[in-house]
Amino acid sequence: MSMITPLSAHDTGSEARAAQRLRALSAAVRLNFTWLGVRKSLSADQTAQAADAFGAQRQYLSAGKKLLDTQHPAFKAVTAVRSRILGYTKGMSLPYPEPGIRLIRQDRVDTFNAHMEELRGELSEAVRQLNEHYADLTSAARDRLGSLYNPSDYPPTLEGLFHVAWDFPSVEPPDYLRQLHPEIYEQECQRLRQRFDEAV
């Protein structure tokens, strides 16, 4: 389902024409993940204790702890869905030289959106199953971390802490610039032409 072949420079005869075609046929898409962090830095006192144990100066030492076992099958199931989401998005889109934005064919937006809804549902189900093991995971963390265990590091539930959203931001200059600031509008148009040249 790659869009590279129909939008390549070979189809249009030149990179400039390819960039124009890419701009005409593409929509921008952006993913946003909410993801629980499972590592946390030690407190200043804990870092000092670790430094003392090794005879090191604390300002030259950084230390952290792992809050949950990410190798647990339920946790791996959650991260596997995230990998599928990223893989699907990359397979349906092309890179765009703006952080976090990719380009998708306009005629595939509906297909993309429908499948992403399915994947979001899979993610929610995987998180629900992970939440069923959450008490066991925190209990295991208490045993493994010893005095480094801090109950405040652990939210009461994992529901809502793993989530994916997406939107279709505009990569075109806003129309109001054309009337209010024609020079700025032209600068933005030139910047976008360069971006699509880079994308090609």
Side-chain angles (χ1 to χ4, degrees):
M1 302 186 70
S2 172
M3 61 187 287
I4 296 176
T5 299
L7 295 179
S8 68
H10 298 293
D11 289 336
T12 59
S14 71
E15 289 188 4
R17 290 174 60 195
Q20 292 174 1
R21 188 171 181 221
L22 182 64
R23 186 172 177 179
L25 298 181
S26 298
V29 63
R30 175 174 53 196
L31 293 185
N32 180 40
F33 283 99
T34 299
W35 213 257
L36 175 70
V38 295
R39 296 185 182 275
K40 186 172 183 178
S41 298
L42 299 187
S43 68
D45 290 341
Q46 291 167 340
T47 302
Q49 292 178 25
D52 291 342
F54 290 100
Q57 297 181 29
R58 68 185 69 181
Q59 63 266 35
Y60 293 99
L61 180 69
S62 63
K65 57 185 177 180
K66 189 175 181 180
L67 302 178
L68 294 173
D69 178 14
T70 56
Q71 297 304 306
H72 189 281
F75 200 100
K76 291 175 74 173
V78 172
T79 55
V81 178
R82 176 174 178 161
S83 295
R84 289 203 300 276
I85 291 171
L86 291 171
Y88 177 72
T89 302
K90 288 182 178 180
M92 284 285 285
S93 62
L94 292 174
Y96 181 73
E98 293 280 349
I101 293 180
R102 295 183 67 85
L103 299 175
I104 185 171
R105 286 184 66 114
Q106 294 175 9
D107 59 6
R108 293 180 181 172
V109 167
D110 288 343
T111 300
F112 174 83
N113 199 64
H115 191 61
M116 286 293 291
E117 290 288 358
E118 294 177 5
L119 289 171
R120 180 156 59 186
E122 291 181 23
L123 179 60
S124 295
E125 176 59 22
V127 173
R128 186 192 67 77
Q129 294 185 23
L130 174 61
N131 203 47
E132 292 180 355
H133 297 276
Y134 187 42
D136 294 336
L137 287 168
T138 55
S139 178
R142 184 185 297 110
D143 295 338
R144 290 172 178 150
L145 291 175
S147 62
L148 295 179
Y149 178 82
N150 184 350
S152 65
D153 291 335
Y154 298 85
T157 178
L158 297 179
E159 296 291 344
L161 298 181
F162 297 88
H163 183 70
V164 62
W166 58 95
D167 66 339
F168 302 93
S170 174
V171 292
E172 297 294 332
D175 287 338
Y176 67 81
L177 280 181
R178 190 195 304 265
Q179 296 295 328
L180 296 179
H181 304 285
E183 292 182 1
I184 297 177
Y185 179 83
E186 181 55 36
Q187 290 173 4
E188 285 298 292
C189 288
Q190 178 62 29
R191 183 182 67 83
L192 286 172
R193 284 192 290 268
Q194 292 174 351
R195 289 289 185 267
F196 276 93
D197 287 342
E198 293 173 28
V200 169

